[in-house]
Structure formats: C-alpha cells, structure tokens
Amino acid sequence: MHGPRPLLFAQREGRVLEVLGAALPPAVVVGCTLAGGGPVDTLALPALRHDGDLPAYGRLRRMLRRAVADTDTALLGRVSTASARLRQRTLPKPEFPTLLEIADSTGAAGVQIAHSGNVAGILFDPRLPGLHRRVRRCARALEDEGCARIRTFTTFPPPTSEELPWTRTSRNPSADRT
C-alpha cells in the first residue's frame, strides 16, 4: 500500500519488483502498530528461513495478482493472512493469534502484517453487512489488547469523512485520529 498503486517492493534492495495493478480491491482496514510500535531491524533478519518459503510466496504473489485483477477483497484477505502466517516464522509477532481471533470474531476478510516493521491491519470487505458495527468492535478489541495507534482507512478514496462515521475509532479524542 505504498502510493496510489499496489506494488511488490524489495525493501532490502530499495526497488519495486512489480506493479500489481491499478488499485487494491476495496477494503476497510483497521490498522495498528504492534510491539508498542518499536522499530524492527529487518536488515538483520535472514531473507528466508525455510526452504518452502520462496515457492509459497510465489503462490501468494500469483493469488494477489488475481485478487487485484478481479477486485476480490475476500481473496486479498486470504492472501494477506497466509503471508502474515508465513512471516511469523522469520519475524514472529506475539499478537498474531489475537489478531486472527479478532478478525474471525468480527467477520473480517483477513489480517495483514508488514514484512518490514510492526504495522498490522484487519481487512474488511466494505460491502459486508453491519460493517460499521464490526469495524467499531474490531477497533475496541485491538485497543483492549493494547495495540497502539489504531487507525481506520480504506484502499479506496472515500467521498467525505462524514459518510464514513466508523473511522472515528479511538475512545480518547486525538488529533492523530482519522
């Protein structure tokens, strides 16, 4: 989610490997930082720890291309969750099981975790019945679990913030809130 188009980015090399399409499938993301938002020295991590990782990521890359081409939010969620699960083997996040539970309990499409840091998100299909209630429940659950800097945003430009009342997820007023 870097810029207006979805990219596959090689952060160790600092270059774009592939533009995946014009836009990500439509999704509402309840994002947060993990581990208190502390830094991660990803350059110190091994690129891959398991022999099966490279072929597995190749399959996920093909699935992601299909999700983008078909604007399939459900497939995007499955790919994101599978990718996050794989990354657990190299950069484990203790919060991952909790994120999965929250996603399951709120009917989310999936979970994403950045491969190069402590940013995570729970993805929702914007067409999901009861979306506003589900997003609020998700944000409260993340807050209750101690996840920091909770933000709600979309992969598509909203017409106005008044049309998306569920973007006000923080219980405490803050200038940082979206």
Side-chain angles (χ1 to χ4, degrees):
M1 295 188 64
H2 177 65
R5 295 174 14 161
L7 307 173
L8 179 61
F9 184 77
Q11 66 82 212
R12 288 175 183 262
E13 300 167 19
R15 68 182 180 96
V16 173
L17 298 175
E18 179 180 353
V19 176
L20 296 165
L24 285 170
V28 174
V29 182
V30 181
C32 64
T33 56
L34 305 176
V40 174
D41 185 0
T42 54
L43 295 178
L45 296 171
L48 296 172
R49 280 198 176 172
H50 303 278
D51 291 337
D53 284 356
L54 195 55
Y57 281 119
R59 284 188 297 278
L60 291 175
R61 187 175 178 180
R62 288 188 296 277
M63 290 170 65
L64 181 57
R65 284 186 197 119
R66 193 170 75 237
V68 169
D70 296 346
T71 63
D72 187 336
T73 306
L75 183 55
L76 175 67
R78 289 194 304 275
V79 169
S80 297
T81 302
S83 178
R85 193 177 310 278
L86 271 174
R87 189 62 175 168
Q88 280 292 102
R89 299 190 314 203
T90 304
L91 184 58
K93 303 292 185 189
E95 303 93 340
F96 185 60
T98 300
L99 293 174
L100 290 174
E101 288 174 22
I102 293 170
D104 287 344
S105 72
T106 57
V111 171
Q112 70 77 216
I113 296 179
H115 283 223
S116 58
N118 279 323
V119 176
I122 297 180
L123 310 173
F124 291 88
D125 187 320
R127 300 161 293 220
L128 186 66
L131 176 67
H132 300 174
R133 179 180 41 80
R134 293 170 190 268
V135 167
R136 283 192 303 269
R137 265 188 30 227
C138 176
R140 275 193 300 274
L142 289 171
E143 189 174 81
D144 291 345
E145 290 295 329
C147 293
R149 302 185 69 186
I150 299 167
R151 304 284 183 273
T152 302
F153 57 94
T154 66
T155 61
F156 54 92
T160 67
S161 61
E162 290 78 32
E163 293 180 26
L164 302 174
W166 35 265
T167 59
R168 296 182 198 99
T169 58
S170 176
R171 291 186 202 173
N172 303 319
S174 168
D176 295 342
R177 187 179 61 200
T178 56

